[in-house]
């Protein structure tokens, strides 16, 4: 049977008689077809088994590294190494299986189509478009069926592998440190990513011009292509650095800045790349600057991001309402299944509506953690956290394994030394322009400054990973995009292996503190931290500063605590106490009975304040808790020295964010942990 190359696909094409098999009986043809189907099934099984074995080997090696306390190579780097080894074996160690295939030409059409129907001796066969193949590489493409089997459709990464990774980032977000640095995180993620994109894009445009002068550019490479490359390569993924930070218990504010930036940065990068693709100037030169097209792209960016954000938040709210007003908590299996499906469907719904699923599923995860999690049964809380943690681990390592594999199995690589070297230089300058100027501006409004060693560590930690790879492989149809994909692959390899492996020495060289309790506040200074002994005069002094979350979030919190939390969850104050009296009927209908039965505010996991000493007594919110488990309510009062203690609503905000001035009384010693004001 003859086969057309994908470039020549047509909507309906009759090629009767072009590949006739004289003398072949119908029974023999059916037998051959069944054998080919069986062989294809076997190859599919082998390809999936290959990746499962890669993940299994990675897990066992990770255990060995953790057992030996090896930190120079992260699990993602291991997955890439194993992928490279398997890629070499598949590329050079498996025999050719496609000798019967041969291309033939068709000059009737001037463009490719997605479907081809071929009439072979009265039987019609359907073929689908796979992509363009350059004439010089057509024999390489057809030499091995196994190479085609292990080359996944890019949509597999977006629709199956990315959702659990992004959702887990939002669902496992520690609100305490995230919102304490929200202003800085938003600045790095939005403004910083935009700055990085345009600096890298413009520098790479200069590199492209240089390649054209020296004769190393064999096809078109436009300015918009350079900006697109700047957008996708600005998506940071410091998974290696963050894993080491978590293992060594590095400074919590540095962790929060890096983690928060990487979470939102991915969302900004994918929307920014979509906006650049949407840039279409009017006129003959479709790649020249056009003010109308530029502002249209800005509008597309804002529309896609805000629409995706709203879709993710609304899905989370709907899930919270369903879990609150139904008895699903009596059936933890059904509850967990519904939570899983609603969360994953957010990504697909946003993509189907023309928005960005990455943004939608990220904010869905944040909303689910803030509202729905409080409505789940104890079993479902544990199941959902463990389920998405496992899916995140497997999906991430699968992607990094595939990266190693793709270096040898991907058929459209274009490696240009000038472009690769220029990309590394552009990334360095883009990251520097992203971190240092923004940190200087942010420090003007922060009391707890972002120190130089923090800035150097953030500059060093700008690794590229799964998101950059997924964005690059999604479109490899043109010469420029194929070159960008090959370069992105090498950049990911370098940053994960070299930069990730140097994280521990860099922490030591920059004197960044490690071994820090994740719930410990920033290091004390003379005017912001006091240890007061006994009952002397010093015990009457209070700290002069207090750490606050971003002012925007504090404005939002009052509305959320008094109205949204009671409506969407089983926690918060009863609506009968926060809504006007004429709304009494609605308030009683929307307020959960659990709120009336238990009005003492249960602190969330973000506070993580554990008692393990029999002499400790902690005053927390409206409840005084002793180490033996007894508790009693109390209200805002005035202390002996005339100072008024905080009311319930004031304490609630600090409890949710974990930024209250926790006062611990222990054998005559009082410790005051004040917190400083961050942007």
């Amino acid at each position: 049977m003859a086969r057309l190359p994908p470039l020549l696909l047509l909507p309906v094409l009759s090629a009767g008689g072009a590949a006739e098999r004289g003398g072949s009986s119908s029974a023999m043809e059916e037998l051959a077809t069944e054998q080919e189907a069986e062989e294809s099934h076997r190859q599919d099984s082998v390809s999936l088994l290959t990746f499962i074995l890669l993940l299994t080997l990675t897990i066992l090696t990770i255990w060995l590294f953790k057992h030996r306390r090896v930190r120079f190579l992260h699990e993602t780097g291991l997955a890439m190494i194993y992928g490279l080894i398997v890629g070499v074996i598949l590329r050079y160690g498996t025999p050719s299986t496609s000798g019967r295939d041969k291309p033939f030409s068709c000059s009737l059409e001037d463009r490719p189509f997605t479907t081809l129907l071929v009439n072979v001796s009265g039987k019609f066969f359907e073929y689908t478009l796979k992509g363009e193949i350059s004439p010089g590489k057509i024999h390489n493409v057809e030499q091995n069926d196994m190479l085609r089997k292990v080359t996944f459709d890019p949509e597999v990464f977006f629709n199956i592998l990315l959702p659990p990774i992004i959702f887990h980032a939002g669902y496992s977000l520690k609100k305490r440190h995230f919102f304490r640095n929200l202003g800085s995180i938003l600045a790095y993620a939005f403004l910083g990513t935009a700055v990085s994109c345009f600096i890298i894009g413009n520098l790479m445009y200069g590199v492209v011009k240089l390649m054209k002068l020296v004769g190393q550019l064999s096809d078109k490479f436009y300015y918009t292509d350079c900006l697109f490359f700047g957008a996708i390569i600005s998506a940071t993924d410091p998974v290696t650095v963050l894993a080491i930070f978590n293992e060594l218990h590095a400074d919590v504010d540095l962790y929060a800045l890096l983690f928060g930036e990487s979470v939102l940065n991915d969302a900004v990068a994918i929307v920014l790349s979509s906006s650049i693709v949407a840039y279409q100037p009017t006129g003959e030169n479709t790649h020249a600057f056009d003010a109308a097209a530029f502002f249209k792209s800005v509008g597309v960016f804002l529309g896609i991001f805000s629409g995706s954000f709203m879709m993710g938040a609304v899905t989370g709210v709907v899930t919270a309402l369903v879990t609150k007003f139904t008895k699903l908590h009596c059936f933890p299996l059904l509850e967990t299944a519904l939570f899983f499906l609603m969360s994953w469907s957010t990504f697909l719904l946003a993509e189907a509506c023309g928005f960005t699923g990455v943004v939608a599923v990220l904010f869905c995860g944040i909303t689910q953690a803030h509202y729905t999690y409080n409505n789940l049964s104890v079993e479902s809380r544990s199941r959902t956290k463990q389920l998405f943690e496992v899916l995140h681990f497997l999906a991430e390592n699968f992607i990094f394994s595939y990266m190693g594999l793709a270096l040898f199995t991907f058929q459209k690589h274009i490696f240009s030394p000038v472009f690769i070297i220029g990309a590394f230089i552009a990334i360095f300058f883009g990251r520097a322009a992203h971190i240092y100027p923004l940190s200087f501006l942010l420090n003007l409004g922060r009391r707890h400054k972002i120190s130089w060693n923090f800035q150097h560590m953030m500059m060093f930690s700008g690794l590229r990973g799964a998101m950059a790879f997924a964005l690059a492989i999604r479109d490899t149809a043109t010469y420029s995009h194929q070159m960008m994909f090959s370069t992105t692959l090498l950049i990911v390899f370098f940053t994960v292996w070299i930069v990730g492996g140097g994280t521990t020495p860099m922490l030591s060289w920059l004197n960044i503190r490690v071994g820090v309790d994740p719930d410990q506040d920033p290091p004390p200074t003379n005017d912001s931290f006091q240890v007061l002994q006994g009952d002397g005069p010093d015990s009457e002094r209070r700290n002069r500063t207090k750490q606050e979350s971003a002012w925007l979030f504090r404005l939002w919190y009052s509305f959320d605590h008094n109205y949204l939390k009671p409506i969407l969850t089983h926690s918060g104050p009863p609506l009968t106490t926060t809504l006007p009296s004429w709304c009494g009927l609605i308030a009683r209908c929307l307020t959960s009975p659990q709120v009336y039965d238990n009005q003492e505010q249960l602190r969330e996991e973000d506070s993580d304040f554990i008692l393990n000493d029999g002499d400790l007594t902690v005053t927390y919110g409206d409840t005084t808790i002793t180490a033996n488990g007894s508790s009693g309510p109390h209200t805002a009062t005035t202390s002996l020295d005339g100072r008024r203690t905080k009311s319930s609503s004031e304490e609630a905000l600090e409890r949710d964010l974990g930024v209250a001035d926790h006062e611990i009384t222990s054998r005559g010693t009082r410790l005051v942990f004040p917190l400083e004001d961050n942007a």
Side-chain angles (χ1 to χ4, degrees):
M1 182 190 304
R3 186 174 65 176
L4 283 173
L7 179 62
L8 304 174
L9 300 186
L10 303 174
V12 178
L13 175 65
S14 176
E20 295 182 358
R21 300 175 180 178
S24 298
S25 65
S26 177
M28 293 296 294
E29 291 177 358
E30 292 179 0
L31 180 60
T33 302
E34 292 177 359
Q35 290 176 346
E36 290 178 358
E38 181 66 24
E39 179 67 15
S40 177
H41 171 74
R42 187 186 64 82
Q43 291 176 352
D44 288 335
S45 301
V46 171
S47 64
L48 292 177
L49 178 62
T50 300
F51 286 102
I52 292 177
L53 292 178
L54 279 174
L55 293 176
T56 303
L57 187 59
T58 301
I59 291 172
L60 293 176
T61 312
I62 291 170
W63 169 82
L64 181 62
F65 275 33
K66 289 183 179 294
H67 181 68
R68 300 294 183 182
R69 299 185 181 277
V70 177
R71 296 192 181 98
F72 68 88
L73 188 62
H74 186 249
E75 58 200 45
T76 54
L78 281 172
M80 294 172 70
I81 292 176
Y82 291 142
L84 281 171
I85 295 173
V86 175
V88 171
I89 295 173
L90 291 177
R91 185 72 174 84
Y92 300 106
T94 55
S96 174
T97 56
S98 299
R100 296 171 298 169
D101 296 347
K102 64 177 182 178
F104 62 89
S105 302
C106 179
S107 58
L108 299 178
E109 300 291 339
D110 57 357
R111 64 187 179 93
F113 292 89
T114 58
T115 304
L116 173 68
L117 296 180
V118 179
N119 184 350
V120 181
S121 302
K123 293 184 178 181
F124 288 89
F125 298 87
E126 180 181 0
Y127 298 84
T128 56
L129 176 67
K130 297 292 291 184
E132 182 179 359
I133 305 168
S134 61
K137 294 185 176 182
I138 189 168
H139 297 293
N140 293 333
V141 171
E142 296 181 346
Q143 71 175 354
N144 198 325
D145 284 339
M146 194 61 192
L147 293 181
R148 289 196 290 266
K149 292 293 184 181
V150 297
T151 304
F152 288 95
D153 189 327
E155 294 304 314
V156 171
F157 294 99
F158 264 81
N159 296 331
I160 298 179
L161 299 178
L162 276 185
I165 295 176
I166 303 301
F167 181 86
H168 179 263
Y171 194 53
S172 62
L173 184 71
K174 282 288 186 180
K175 295 190 292 294
R176 173 184 181 184
H177 302 295
F178 180 83
F179 287 114
R180 203 162 65 185
N181 297 278
L182 182 62
S184 300
I185 290 172
L186 291 176
Y188 285 128
F190 283 86
L191 186 58
T193 304
V195 169
S196 175
C197 168
F198 283 98
I199 288 179
I200 294 175
N202 283 279
L203 289 177
M204 293 310 299
Y205 188 63
V207 172
V208 169
K209 288 294 186 182
L210 176 62
M211 292 173 61
K212 188 175 182 179
L213 288 176
V214 298
Q216 292 194 12
L217 195 66
S218 59
D219 208 336
K220 297 178 181 178
F221 209 122
Y222 298 107
Y223 177 68
T224 51
D225 294 326
C226 296
L227 288 180
F228 180 79
F229 178 72
I232 64 175
I233 209 64
S234 294
T236 60
D237 185 18
V239 58
T240 304
V241 175
L242 293 177
I244 295 175
F245 278 13
N246 190 52
E247 184 178 352
L248 297 178
H249 299 291
D251 189 282
V252 290
D253 278 331
L254 176 60
Y255 184 95
L257 288 171
L258 273 174
F259 179 77
E261 180 208 0
S262 66
V263 167
L264 295 179
N265 163 273
D266 288 347
V268 174
I270 190 172
V271 179
L272 193 59
S273 63
S274 300
S275 303
I276 293 173
V277 172
Y279 178 79
Q280 295 179 347
T282 57
E284 296 182 358
N285 191 351
T286 57
H287 294 274
F289 177 78
D290 186 286
F294 172 77
F295 286 110
K296 179 184 177 181
S297 294
V298 173
V300 169
F301 175 87
L302 297 176
I304 292 178
F305 196 94
S306 58
S308 303
F309 165 77
M310 289 300 299
M311 186 166 291
V314 168
T315 306
V317 167
V318 170
T319 309
L321 290 172
V322 171
T323 54
K324 176 182 177 180
F325 291 104
T326 62
K327 298 293 185 179
L328 273 175
H329 63 272
C330 299
F331 307 94
L333 179 61
L334 300 181
E335 189 179 40
T336 304
L338 178 67
F339 183 93
F340 174 80
L341 294 176
M342 290 291 289
S343 302
W344 203 307
S345 64
T346 304
F347 184 94
L348 302 177
L349 179 62
E351 292 289 333
C353 294
F355 296 110
T356 299
V358 170
V359 179
V361 78
L362 170 64
F363 287 100
C364 176
I366 296 175
T367 307
Q368 301 275 46
H370 190 58
Y371 297 116
T372 311
Y373 184 82
N374 295 303
N375 300 335
L376 300 178
S377 62
V378 176
E379 295 89 339
S380 295
R381 291 183 182 185
S382 176
R383 286 176 179 176
T384 54
K385 279 188 171 294
Q386 293 175 0
L387 172 64
F388 280 101
E389 186 175 5
V390 170
L391 289 176
H392 162 264
F393 173 82
L394 293 177
E396 189 169 62
N397 281 279
F398 184 95
I399 290 179
F400 278 93
S401 297
Y402 186 80
M403 287 185 199
L405 201 69
L407 186 62
F408 292 97
T409 60
F410 186 71
Q411 303 296 321
K412 304 175 184 178
H413 280 306
I414 298 178
F415 294 103
S416 171
V418 176
F419 191 85
I420 293 170
I421 295 173
F424 275 99
I425 296 174
I427 289 172
F428 176 83
F429 283 106
R431 184 69 178 173
H434 172 177
I435 296 297
Y436 295 114
L438 280 181
S439 299
F440 172 78
L441 295 176
L442 290 170
N443 282 337
L444 298 178
R446 288 176 62 107
R447 293 187 179 179
H448 187 65
K449 309 298 183 184
I450 303 174
S451 60
W452 279 107
N453 59 343
F454 276 26
Q455 295 178 42
H456 296 329
M457 193 68 217
M458 294 180 68
M459 170 71 187
F460 179 81
S461 303
L463 284 74
R464 271 61 178 178
M467 180 57 67
F469 172 79
L471 288 173
I473 199 175
R474 197 174 192 182
D475 182 8
T476 57
T478 62
Y479 169 84
S480 59
H481 284 239
Q482 292 166 10
M483 184 182 294
M484 287 188 283
F485 171 71
S486 302
T487 304
T488 300
L489 203 57
L490 295 181
I491 291 172
V492 173
F493 287 167
F494 178 85
T495 56
V496 170
W497 288 338
I498 305 302
V499 179
T503 300
T504 302
M506 184 63 68
L507 284 172
S508 177
W509 185 62
L510 294 175
N511 295 319
I512 294 176
R513 59 181 188 151
V514 296
V516 179
D517 184 349
D519 297 300
Q520 179 180 339
D521 296 313
T525 57
N526 291 334
D527 62 346
S528 65
F529 181 85
Q530 301 163 12
V531 179
L532 307 182
Q533 294 283 346
D535 299 323
D538 288 344
S539 63
E540 298 179 0
R541 291 183 297 166
R542 300 280 292 179
N543 56 295
R544 292 191 294 271
T545 61
K546 170 186 176 181
Q547 180 163 7
E548 298 178 352
S549 63
W551 64 270
L552 182 62
F553 179 75
R554 295 186 70 89
L555 292 177
W556 152 261
Y557 184 87
S558 178
F559 175 77
D560 175 65
H561 175 72
N562 292 327
Y563 303 105
L564 292 184
K565 270 285 185 74
I567 292 175
L568 300 176
T569 71
H570 298 303
S571 61
L575 289 172
T576 52
T577 63
T578 58
L579 289 177
S581 57
W582 54 271
C583 297
L585 179 61
I586 299 177
R588 286 191 294 272
C589 292
L590 295 179
T591 302
S592 172
Q594 286 89 327
V595 175
Y596 295 108
D597 296 338
N598 183 20
Q599 292 189 22
E600 58 184 33
Q601 300 301 306
L602 300 178
R603 57 191 175 90
E604 300 178 3
E605 287 191 352
D606 289 321
S607 58
D608 287 337
F609 201 74
I610 302 174
L611 299 176
N612 53 16
D613 192 316
D615 295 321
L616 290 180
T617 300
V618 178
T619 299
Y620 203 91
D622 294 338
T623 306
T624 300
I625 308 172
T626 62
N628 60 9
S630 62
S631 62
H634 73 280
T635 57
T637 59
T638 303
S639 62
L640 294 177
D641 58 359
R643 292 173 307 198
R644 182 181 180 277
T645 61
K646 293 182 177 63
S647 64
S648 172
S649 61
E650 292 170 338
E651 289 283 355
L653 170 56
E654 296 176 341
R655 179 175 62 251
D656 281 351
L657 296 178
V659 297
D661 295 340
H662 301 302
E663 296 188 16
I664 310 173
T665 304
S666 176
R667 297 188 180 92
T669 300
R670 183 161 67 94
L671 303 179
V672 180
F673 294 84
L675 304 168
E676 300 176 6
D677 194 358
N678 282 9

